[in-house]
Amino acid sequence: MKGKDLLSVADLTADDIGGLLDHAQEMMGTRGRQLEGKTVALLFEKPSLRTRVSFEVAARHLGGDSLFLSPAEVGLGTREPASHVARVFSRYVDGLVVRTFAQGTLEELAQHASIPVINGLSNQEHPCQALADLLTIQQKRRKLAGLTLAFVGDANNVARSLLLASAKVGVNFHLATPSAYAMDEDTVSQARSAAATSGSRLLFTRDAREAVTGADVVYTDVWTSMGQEAESVQRRKDFSAYQVDAGLLSAAPDAMLMHPLPAHPGEEVAPDILEGPQSVIFDQAENRLHLQKAVLARLMKGNLSRE
Ligand code: CP
Ligand code: NVA
């Protein structure tokens, strides 16, 4: 781990990821005092169930405290600039989890904060989700390298973090999107460079069946992410051939079906398979807690490395 923050999967080495997953696994069901006397603040510009609750519970499981603020209360960027918000938070609390729109807001907060800043979802990335998802896959399959994850739908924040994380740890990553919603070139090139080291094979296609065939994990997420609501009608049309349903999943009969939630059943995923035997969505949700306990324990003592 290069710095004090977790803003992007790009901040992590493969060893950082492996260490975090092992630490998270060890912390399952445990309580500790690692955050005793410390407070984590959550500043969220978008709604949340999992991220908010799992971070707040994680802080308490480690003997710490948490507080939640909506941007309307803080006036981030309107009442006062992000640089001042970061410097004031740094005088009161010991860590800041931020859910925001622009990745640049996170970077600005991190630059001016003396405390760790953690990305709790931006338009660009959702690193804690991707790490918790790798934990889920590792628990189910007892390994990561050499497995194939097929992501079907929008090349969004969740897809981007999963692509970068998979490429680092040697998971083959197949991404099926409509061509107008493909992954940006900069992320593809970062992923290719990580994959060249890890041996991960990457496939970018418009053909959902090609992506899914023989995969170990079939993953989908909403077609309309938070903040894109004005595009939802158009997106429903553009993605209509990308629903993960029983027919598509039959191309990967042994795969686990993953979704970060909240889902829009009947859009990106058929209701029967979301609730079906291949679905691991609630294990995924649970693992947000375990993974974030490891993130908090490590970052609050200075960095993400173990010792
Ligand atoms: N998966 C996830 O981040 O859920 P929330 O938006 O409810 O936090
Ligand atoms: N891509 C979704 C993920 C929600 C957890 C969004 O940004 O709304």
Side-chain angles (χ1 to χ4, degrees):
M1 174 69 191
K2 284 177 282 188
K4 65 180 176 58
D5 310 298
L6 176 53
L7 305 185
S8 162
V9 172
D11 294 336
L12 303 169
T13 63
D15 281 349
D16 290 332
I17 296 174
L20 265 171
L21 300 189
D22 290 347
H23 197 180
Q25 187 65 39
E26 285 166 24
M27 288 182 122
M28 277 184 81
T30 65
R31 301 288 188 274
R33 310 305 310 165
Q34 295 92 326
L35 262 61
E36 192 157 26
K38 295 190 173 176
T39 303
V40 182
L42 280 73
L43 177 60
F44 276 34
E45 293 192 284
K46 303 179 183 183
S48 171
L49 170 62
R50 280 145 291 270
T51 307
R52 175 183 177 175
V53 176
S54 55
F55 264 113
E56 296 210 44
V57 171
R60 282 164 182 69
H61 280 190
L62 298 177
D65 209 349
S66 69
L67 58 89
F68 181 85
L69 290 140
S70 70
E73 290 166 285
V74 172
L76 180 65
T78 53
R79 187 163 179 263
E80 56 188 321
S83 59
H84 280 194
V85 171
R87 289 159 72 187
V88 171
F89 266 121
S90 301
R91 301 293 178 107
Y92 296 139
V93 301
D94 307 282
L96 185 57
V97 182
V98 182
R99 171 165 286 198
T100 188
F101 293 86
Q103 188 74 12
T105 304
L106 278 160
E107 286 161 7
E108 194 181 353
L109 287 165
Q111 184 193 335
H112 293 280
S114 57
I115 55 174
V117 177
I118 299 168
N119 183 351
L121 182 145
S122 66
N123 291 357
Q124 187 78 7
E125 276 206 52
H126 199 0
C128 296
Q129 180 72 53
L131 293 167
D133 293 338
L134 290 185
L135 178 63
T136 305
I137 298 167
Q138 187 168 271
Q139 285 168 352
K140 305 277 180 202
R141 293 295 159 96
R142 302 280 157 213
K143 63 174 190 170
L144 288 173
L147 297 176
T148 297
L149 188 162
F151 189 106
V152 179
D154 188 19
N156 62 14
N157 42 11
V158 172
R160 186 171 291 103
S161 290
L162 277 170
L163 166 60
L164 292 172
S166 297
K168 284 186 189 239
V169 301
V171 171
N172 306 317
F173 193 89
H174 296 178
L175 178 62
T177 66
S179 44
Y181 297 88
M183 188 58 73
D184 64 281
E185 277 309 316
D186 184 48
T187 303
V188 169
S189 112
Q190 274 188 64
R192 284 201 199 287
S193 136
T197 304
S198 72
S200 156
R201 281 179 284 106
L202 307 179
L203 170 72
F204 302 96
T205 178
R206 271 179 286 173
D207 183 342
R209 185 160 281 270
E210 181 191 13
V212 162
T213 300
D216 299 286
V217 179
V218 175
Y219 200 118
T220 190
D221 185 19
V222 292
W223 295 337
T224 300
S225 284
M226 292 180 280
Q228 298 173 328
E229 289 77 8
E231 301 169 22
S232 63
V233 172
Q234 185 63 45
R235 283 174 170 267
R236 270 200 292 277
K237 283 187 203 141
D238 294 343
F239 285 97
S240 58
Y242 290 82
Q243 186 186 78
V244 178
D245 59 12
L248 186 60
L249 202 58
S250 70
D254 300 323
M256 63 186 103
L257 173 74
M258 299 184 78
H259 192 303
L261 303 179
H264 295 161
E267 290 191 22
E268 76 277 3
V269 61
D272 55 334
I273 64 155
L274 189 66
E275 302 290 344
Q278 287 174 260
S279 173
V280 298
I281 53 176
F282 297 110
D283 294 328
Q284 276 183 269
E286 178 185 329
N287 279 325
R288 297 292 306 280
L289 171 64
H290 308 311
L291 186 281
Q292 288 157 197
K293 276 164 78 172
V295 168
L296 288 178
R298 287 166 170 238
L299 278 184
M300 304 289 267
K301 69 168 180 44
N303 61 63
L304 275 179
S305 59
R306 190 67 182 272
E307 253 65 55

